[in-house]
Amino acid sequence: MQETYDPAAVERDAQKYWGAHASFRSVEDPKKRKFYCLSMFPYPSGKLHMGHVRNYTIGDVLTRYYRMRGYNVLQPMGWDAFGLPAENAAMANKVPPAKWTRDNIAYMKKQLQGLGFALDWQRELATCDASYYKWNQWLFTRLFKKGLAYKKTGVVNWDPVDQTVLANEQVIEGRGWRTGAVVEKREIPMYFFRITAYAEDLLKALDDLPGWPEQVKLMQKNWIGKSEGVRIGFEYFLENKKQTLWVFTTRADTLMGATFMAVAAEHPIAAFASQKNPELKAFVEECKKGAVMEADLAQIEKQGMPTGIFATHPLTGEKLPVWVGNYVLMGYGEGAVMGVPAHDERDYAFALKYKLSIKPVIRHPAGDRVDPPWRSEYAEYGVCINSGPYNGLSFGEAVNAIARDLKQKDLGEKQIQWRLRDWGISRQRYWGCPVPIIHCPSCGDVPVPDDQLPVRLPEHLVPDGTGNPLNKLPAFYETTCPSCGEPAKRETDTMDTFVDSSWYFARFTCPDQDRQMVDERAMYWMAVDQYIGGIEHAILHLLYSRFFTRAMRDEGLLPGLAEPFTNLLTQGMVLAESYYTDASGRREWVNPADVSIEKDSKGKILSAKRNSDGAPVVYDGIGTMSKSKNNGVDPQALIDQYGADTARFYTMFASPPTNTLEWSDESVEGSYRFLKKVWDFAYRFSRAKCDAAADRKIRYQIHLELKKANDDVERQKFNTVASACMKILNAIDQLPEWNATSKEGLSILLRLLSPIAPHVTHALWRELGFGEDVLRAPWPEPDAAALEQDEVELVVQVNGKLRGSIKVPKAADKEAIQRLALSNDNVQKFVAGQAIKKFVLVPGRLINLVV
RNA sequence: GCCCGGGUGGCGAAACUGGUAGACGCAAGGGACUUAAAAUCCCUAGGCCGCAAGGCCGUGCAGGUUCAAGUCCUGCCCCGGGCACCA
């Protein structure tokens, strides 16, 4: 064998072997246990970033492990190929998004292959291929016919200068990214998926997902947001016509404390009242300025203005002023709230600001009064006071009594409210899947019939930033009505790219199927046994996928399947340091790859400079890799310099998968050094004789590490598996002579390491004659006999402080152990004649003497 | 603002169910080999005190529960993710 480790040659040969043996092709085999392992498919942005390398290495480690465990494994790869960045690149480079996207796919595919991922490339798919998005369209028409897809108005960000809809990302501090114009909210017709029809099921089923992180389930639960409360009607008159203003509240027990009403700027009352009130009209207009993002809305200063309209309290008959409030959301509930300043923090601030009355109606832990400043106790549950017939009732009793009385008057009843809203899927953009609807003047919205699917997206257009270019292409939108044959207009909106990614996992099971969305192969492979992706997808993508799986099930496509992902691993983000120069008075971000750092003997950064010109740079701390801070680390440079195995080993070793990972060049060096050590050891082994008998002590260490490592693989803590590999090498390297333990240890090491660093272990396994293919070797198991020990070491504490350690025979009883512990000199010093009040023995671990 | 996480040496981290805090590695310092460098190997290493044996302190901050707390409880501070049109 070669004396020195040559990653490039080793990796080329291993990849050639896997290719020639079709090692990763997956075929359905009902006799074998299947393992479907899936990493979230990438957006083809140009080149892989470290997050991809990390994500796909985690998945690859798992698939290789399960292969060695004898499972029939599927690990596919594809491309989330529609989306906004392609349009931005198209505008910048005057190249159609299709070409830009497909070039990126070709390059990134090469990169993935170079990393040696065990992927079945025969199943590759891209969401921008008509053979894929045809089935988006097909399912849309099915849901449309069932009423699970429908049209209503939705609010969007509108750039008044470019006359175009902006994505939230394109709104910077309330202004359009290209024009700088103040963004406005605008209501336009859109298509929605009725995800709320599945709200109850999506919520309940979270309890049956033991393989999901609690954190993600909790986030989804809160997002769906089931709350039980009461719908209450407040009557008012509009031009002498009696109307009812409905609100929803979870605190009906505080109804007697309501002193005002607040409605959203978009509420019909606000529109009506502003007709005769120019000041109010201006306020309502002002509320409509700005973007639609909830994070922004929640942080603006609470403001309001009275409408001059009064609504009648349904129980007391009191007249309550109706205000317009910029903090009331039209999209949640009824777009109106009752104001109970005494027991709601927002209402309290609003009432103080506008001098509205505050009426305490609940006794809280600090008393009956609600003097300023606001205290959180004011919002706690308690018994009713100042509430007439409800005085003395507890929260539950009061809600029941008030709901009953309201029902008698036909002005309210108990209701369940969801925070979850229906999913608006229309995008006024070009590079996406066309919504398959034809607008006919006489027949209305007609879904495109099956035999006319797919509605193909023309691929030659280049957007210019002023709206969807499909609107300027009569050849696309001029058509005839499928139902009456008269001239009609094709819908030019495309679908949210989340639609594409909500079912690709099912399509991977049968990507060549051209007669249906999925076939029976889906029921062999689904559900995905292990799904891996960034924590940033904890809600939207994962919730939409759960919804789609149910919608497809109810369409008969995935019989009996509700949950797409049995086990979920959410990986942390990859972070990097950032640096800037401000010589010109303006920050110029310098890529960390172009920075040299000088550190003191403690490792603190003394100074940093740019390599290219020696200019001093300022360290700006660590954060997510981003374009704006120019701190992205290109994994390709790392792969070119050290090889794929080092890149893979480093990403696994540096931190556990769920943690954030901070990029460090130096640690990469250490990973390379370890692989080189493995090679060197193997080379020396290949020239030695290992006839000597096994070493008991080292065998114990190896098998103990293996036992822990096997637990850690199951717990998906690959960083400690990597360190176990290092410990095993250190152990066998310590052996004074080559013996049976050298050989056994190396055989265990190579198999344990093979999922993480598959190329080098593939080469060594063959070179050293362990077998034909390490991937087909059995996974190593610890030998119980090697783990047997006659003596155990116990730590001795006195009053909980460590004072020494003793060796005791395995079978020693409590008294014997106590005697041995007290015979220790240092322990004696601290016990020193005092009475032993308590003797705590944790078998195999420690003793605590309490004196 | 709301929801969900996280905070352990100079750095990444380990400590599985409350039981030896800092395994493994990086960076650093010292040494060996070398004409020299690279590579490799050996040694040191949480802080403070001490020649040493050993002692005291130490897991974001302030309290609490316990024989025993990085781990459990209460309050606070800081950082990250998500908030429905980035993917």
Side-chain angles (χ1 to χ4, degrees):
Chain A
M1 68 178 277
Q2 285 282 322
E3 189 176 347
T4 54
Y5 173 42
D6 177 357
V10 163
E11 288 170 13
R12 196 175 47 238
D13 289 351
Q15 286 166 19
K16 216 161 103 192
Y17 178 95
W18 297 326
H21 290 79
S23 296
F24 311 127
R25 190 163 306 161
S26 311
V27 180
E28 298 72 31
D29 180 354
K31 289 191 292 293
K32 282 173 85 180
R33 274 216 285 177
K34 64 95 182 178
F35 185 78
Y36 181 3
C37 183
L38 183 68
S39 292
M40 291 181 185
F41 64 167
Y43 177 79
S45 54
K47 50 192 182 185
L48 293 184
H49 54 69
M50 285 309 305
H52 291 131
V53 175
R54 191 183 196 196
N55 197 156
Y56 302 141
T57 303
I58 295 168
D60 205 50
V61 168
L62 284 164
T63 64
R64 287 172 182 273
Y65 171 69
Y66 278 95
R67 270 179 198 282
M68 291 173 77
R69 286 276 190 204
Y71 285 77
N72 189 25
V73 170
L74 167 61
Q75 184 180 226
M77 183 51 73
W79 308 96
D80 189 11
F82 275 136
L84 197 56
E87 294 196 33
N88 296 340
M91 280 189 262
N93 310 322
K94 307 266 184 286
V95 181
K99 177 169 170 33
W100 182 84
T101 301
R102 293 211 163 83
D103 288 351
N104 289 348
I105 288 175
Y107 181 74
M108 290 169 76
K109 181 174 178 179
K110 268 215 184 87
Q111 289 190 298
L112 289 174
Q113 288 171 327
L115 280 157
F117 295 135
L119 295 162
D120 183 356
W121 283 105
Q122 287 211 322
R123 294 171 185 262
E124 181 180 6
L125 58 80
T127 57
C128 63
D129 292 339
S131 59
Y132 182 83
Y133 67 69
K134 171 182 179 176
W135 301 107
N136 278 3
Q137 296 173 337
W138 178 85
L139 187 70
F140 177 94
T141 61
R142 290 302 177 285
L143 298 182
F144 188 79
K145 286 167 193 163
K146 274 185 176 176
L148 284 172
Y150 66 99
K151 185 158 87 172
K152 70 168 183 183
T153 60
V155 192
V156 293
N157 303 306
W158 181 256
D159 186 320
V161 173
D162 267 351
Q163 294 283 298
T164 194
V165 175
L166 297 178
N168 283 341
E169 190 192 49
Q170 298 171 316
V171 179
I172 318 282
E173 288 168 3
R175 291 169 183 274
W177 65 323
R178 281 157 51 85
T179 63
V182 174
V183 170
E184 298 165 7
K185 297 183 192 72
R186 180 171 275 217
E187 286 200 71
I188 59 168
M190 313 202 308
Y191 291 92
F192 286 78
F193 283 147
R194 205 179 295 280
I195 188 171
T196 51
Y198 289 89
E200 186 79 60
D201 184 25
L202 288 168
L203 179 68
K204 249 198 217 134
L206 289 172
D207 294 335
D208 302 322
L209 281 174
W212 280 41
E214 286 306 319
Q215 167 198 5
V216 173
K217 287 190 278 188
L218 193 55
M219 280 194 261
Q220 292 219 349
K221 179 176 181 258
N222 292 338
W223 185 265
I224 294 168
K226 181 179 187 174
S227 50
E228 292 172 26
V230 180
R231 186 171 180 253
I232 305 175
F234 293 73
E235 290 177 324
Y236 65 101
F237 285 87
L238 219 53
E239 297 179 312
N240 297 322
K241 263 178 66 189
K242 194 153 111 182
Q243 311 264 349
T244 309
L245 177 58
W246 290 99
V247 304
F248 171 82
T249 179
T250 55
R251 291 300 304 269
D253 60 319
T254 66
L255 174 57
M256 302 303 278
T259 58
F260 67 96
M261 310 292 297
V263 300
E266 295 85 0
H267 196 281
I269 291 189
F272 175 83
S274 24
Q275 283 168 18
K276 290 172 201 155
N277 182 342
E279 213 184 331
L280 182 65
K281 193 182 166 95
F283 177 71
V284 167
E285 286 307 312
E286 195 58 35
C287 289
K288 287 180 184 168
K289 285 240 173 76
V292 297
M293 285 107 90
E294 175 154 342
D296 289 354
L297 288 170
Q299 279 169 88
I300 53 173
E301 200 199 338
K302 313 283 176 278
Q303 286 187 326
M305 193 169 272
T307 59
I309 294 168
F310 287 81
T312 309
H313 192 291
L315 298 179
T316 66
E318 236 179 306
K319 298 287 181 211
L320 306 179
V322 178
W323 286 60
V324 175
N326 66 352
Y327 64 96
V328 184
L329 298 176
M330 196 61 212
Y332 183 66
E334 310 278 350
V337 296
M338 65 176 193
V340 185
H343 306 291
D344 178 277
E345 186 171 4
R346 275 187 318 187
D347 295 346
Y348 193 81
F350 197 81
L352 284 184
K353 181 167 180 172
Y354 294 108
K355 307 205 162 41
L356 298 162
S357 62
I358 298 173
K359 180 187 171 195
V361 290
I362 302 292
R363 174 161 299 144
H364 56 79
D368 290 353
R369 296 172 59 88
V370 292
D371 299 322
W374 169 262
R375 296 168 57 167
S376 57
E377 289 97 323
Y378 299 167
E380 283 176 25
Y381 290 166
V383 298
C384 295
I385 54 173
N386 303 327
S387 299
Y390 311 108
N391 279 343
L393 297 185
S394 68
F395 168 77
E397 294 164 347
V399 170
N400 287 336
I402 287 172
R404 183 196 60 217
D405 293 349
L406 288 171
K407 190 154 175 108
Q408 269 177 13
K409 298 186 176 195
D410 238 4
L411 283 175
E413 61 188 330
K414 282 201 174 176
Q415 194 189 28
I416 286 170
Q417 180 77 24
W418 302 92
R419 208 188 75 95
L420 181 69
R421 311 200 288 260
D422 277 340
W423 173 14
I425 59 146
S426 294
R427 297 291 179 270
Q428 299 68 45
R429 267 187 269 294
Y430 159 55
W431 189 236
C433 166
V435 173
I437 287 283
I438 291 166
H439 302 287
C440 172
S442 32
C443 309
D445 289 2
V446 182
V448 175
D450 290 1
D451 61 6
Q452 291 176 32
L453 291 177
V455 177
R456 279 181 193 277
L457 183 72
E459 294 203 347
H460 62 283
L461 304 178
V462 179
D464 62 4
T466 62
N468 183 348
L470 293 175
N471 283 321
K472 299 163 197 164
L473 192 70
F476 178 78
Y477 64 73
E478 284 179 355
T479 185
T480 52
C481 172
S483 113
C484 69
E486 293 298 307
K489 186 171 182 280
R490 187 183 297 287
E491 173 65 55
T492 57
D493 278 359
T494 53
M495 293 184 198
D496 180 1
T497 55
F498 274 126
V499 177
D500 309 329
S501 56
S502 290
W503 68 282
Y504 75 107
F505 42 85
R507 184 68 184 178
F508 272 138
T509 65
C510 51
D512 54 359
Q513 174 55 260
D514 60 1
R515 287 186 310 279
Q516 32 181 335
M517 194 168 181
V518 293
D519 62 31
E520 67 288 345
R521 285 172 288 177
M523 289 318 289
Y524 173 74
W525 292 111
M526 287 298 286
V528 173
D529 294 280
Q530 180 67 63
Y531 196 39
I532 305 141
I535 183 66
E536 67 273 20
H537 293 289
I539 295 172
L540 292 178
H541 164 61
L542 292 170
L543 189 61
Y544 292 151
S545 297
R546 297 180 63 221
F547 160 64
F548 245 69
T549 303
R550 287 166 167 78
M552 288 172 73
R553 172 197 65 194
D554 294 346
E555 211 47 60
L557 294 161
L558 299 170
L561 188 72
E563 292 299 335
F565 314 122
T566 308
N567 294 289
L568 175 68
L569 191 159
T570 49
Q571 64 159 354
M573 320 244 333
V574 179
L575 309 179
E577 295 166 327
S578 54
Y579 301 89
Y580 62 87
T581 64
D582 54 1
S584 53
R586 226 187 113 160
R587 284 187 182 187
E588 188 191 334
W589 296 94
V590 181
N591 192 279
D594 190 25
V595 171
S596 305
I597 301 152
E598 213 188 309
K599 290 180 178 175
D600 67 12
S601 61
K602 286 280 181 197
K604 287 241 169 175
I605 295 176
L606 286 176
S607 69
K609 61 177 202 280
R610 178 157 55 190
N611 293 333
S612 48
D613 61 358
V617 296
V618 182
Y619 174 60
D620 191 56
I622 203 145
T624 53
M625 290 188 181
S626 71
K627 233 179 222 170
S628 61
K629 286 201 174 178
N630 186 23
N631 63 341
V633 176
D634 184 359
Q636 197 56 48
L638 160 65
I639 296 160
D640 293 343
Q641 192 179 350
Y642 298 106
D645 279 340
T646 295
R648 297 171 57 120
F649 188 90
Y650 167 72
T651 53
M652 291 303 95
F653 178 60
S655 68
T658 51
N659 273 31
T660 52
L661 181 141
E662 292 178 30
W663 178 256
S664 146
D665 281 325
E666 290 105 346
S667 299
V668 173
E669 186 79 39
S671 298
Y672 179 65
R673 207 174 300 166
F674 168 66
L675 296 182
K676 212 160 49 171
K677 268 192 211 166
V678 174
W679 186 279
D680 290 346
F681 184 87
Y683 176 74
R684 285 184 280 126
F685 171 86
S686 74
R687 302 164 62 95
K689 285 231 177 324
C690 293
D691 300 336
D695 180 305
R696 190 144 187 227
K697 207 177 123 205
I698 300 292
R699 267 204 98 211
Y700 172 76
Q701 285 179 25
I702 293 169
H703 285 271
L704 190 66
E705 276 311 319
L706 176 61
K707 185 170 181 283
K708 283 195 272 183
N710 279 352
D711 287 347
D712 288 345
V713 175
E714 290 293 332
R715 292 194 302 143
Q716 302 177 339
K717 298 262 286 177
F718 305 120
N719 55 325
T720 49
V721 177
S723 83
C725 291
M726 290 175 160
K727 287 175 183 173
I728 290 173
L729 180 63
N730 289 346
I732 51 179
D733 204 18
Q734 268 171 32
L735 285 165
E737 55 168 355
W738 295 100
N739 63 24
T741 304
S742 316
K743 183 171 183 180
E744 186 190 7
L746 189 55
S747 137
I748 288 171
L749 167 62
L750 291 178
R751 282 176 287 165
L752 193 58
L753 179 60
S754 69
I756 301 175
H759 305 89
V760 65
T761 48
H762 171 87
L764 293 177
W765 191 255
R766 290 168 64 85
E767 289 280 3
L768 302 179
F770 284 119
E772 152 82 15
D773 183 359
V774 67
L775 199 57
R776 279 181 276 165
W779 189 259
E781 291 290 358
D783 175 8
L787 293 169
E788 285 289 327
Q789 273 199 312
D790 312 330
E791 277 196 322
V792 287
E793 192 167 308
L794 288 182
V795 157
V796 186
Q797 295 180 335
V798 179
N799 285 346
K801 293 210 173 202
L802 177 65
R803 298 303 178 192
S805 71
I806 53 170
K807 280 216 166 106
V808 300
K810 215 178 132 192
D813 63 11
K814 213 170 161 177
E815 281 87 69
I817 291 171
Q818 182 164 359
R819 253 194 328 275
L820 270 166
L822 286 168
S823 68
N824 180 294
D825 289 348
N826 202 46
V827 171
Q828 255 317 311
K829 221 167 89 186
F830 285 90
V831 175
Q834 301 173 73
I836 291 169
K837 280 198 259 177
K838 200 168 178 179
F839 176 77
V840 181
L841 172 68
V842 182
R845 280 200 180 266
L846 62 65
I847 297 155
N848 191 11
L849 299 161
V850 185
V851 298

